[in-house]
């Protein structure tokens, strides 16, 4: 099922019930704006190869393919763009105000609620995002470098489809603004 997407991100929209990682679903045959979503990842990971754990059907697990026409040294800025978009989406849907912990985590009350993983190759960037949404306190991973939380623990149950729609919309707007600013400053 394709959620009620508002912009160009999500075309095509790839969905898998279970996959090793949403980042691996986006291949060379896909172009900018392609989005991959899964209910469960068996090999989800974060920065520095850390494992990203989540029970099935309770998180937002997605990746989006971007092809920004910028110099390679500028690509790491996309992690911050994605983090800001993710924080805005969480705030819009839940009223919570996540804190961005550079380079790629979103915290609520000092506990990790979301993570961004940007991987680039050949001018293409795949932004992977994992948001702990409807995970109970008991289901949260315990043996992690930073204590975890979820939107459910911090507030009421959150509609994951609504959060995904908001995330893609805000990411598209921030990405376009970043790209526009970068393109105007080019010599």
């Amino acid at each position: 099922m394709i959620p009620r997407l508002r912009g160009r991100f999500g075309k095509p929209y790839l969905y898998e019930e279970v996959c090793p990682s949403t980042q691996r679903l986006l291949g060379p045959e896909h172009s900018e704006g392609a989005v991959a979503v899964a209910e469960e990842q068996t090999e989800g990971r974060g920065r520095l190869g850390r494992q990203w754990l989540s029970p099935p059907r309770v998180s937002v697990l997605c990746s989006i393919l971007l092809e920004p026409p910028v110099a390679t040294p500028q690509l790491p800025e996309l992690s911050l763009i994605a983090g800001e978009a993710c924080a805005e989406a969480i705030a819009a849907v839940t009223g919570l105000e996540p804190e961005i912990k550079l380079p790629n985590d979103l915290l609520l009350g000092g506990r990790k609620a979301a993570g961004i993983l940007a991987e680039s190759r050949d001018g293409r960037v795949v932004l992977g995002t994992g948001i702990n949404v409807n995970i109970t306190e008991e289901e949260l991973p315990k043996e992690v470098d930073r204590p975890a939380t979820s939107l459910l623990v911090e507030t009421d149950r959150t509609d994951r489809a609504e959060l995904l729609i908001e995330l893609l919309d805000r990411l598209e707007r921030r990405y376009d603004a970043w790209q526009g600013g970068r393109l105007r400053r080019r010599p």
Side-chain angles (χ1 to χ4, degrees), residues 19-26 36-38 41 61-63 126 128-129:
C19 70
S21 169
T22 57
Q23 290 197 332
R24 293 189 204 165
L25 297 176
L26 298 171
V37 175
Q41 295 181 122
L61 305 169
C62 70
S63 292
V126 177
T129 303

Side-chain angles (χ1 to χ4, degrees), residues 114-131:
I116 311 288
L117 179 63
E119 294 186 327
S120 65
R121 184 177 315 130
D122 302 325
R124 295 163 53 104
V125 177
V126 177
L127 285 173
T129 303
I131 307 171

Side-chain angles (χ1 to χ4, degrees), residues 127-144:
L127 285 173
T129 303
I131 307 171
N132 296 336
V133 182
N134 293 318
I135 304 175
T136 65
E137 183 77 46
E138 297 73 37
E139 293 174 306
L140 288 167
K142 304 294 184 243
E143 297 181 24
V144 290

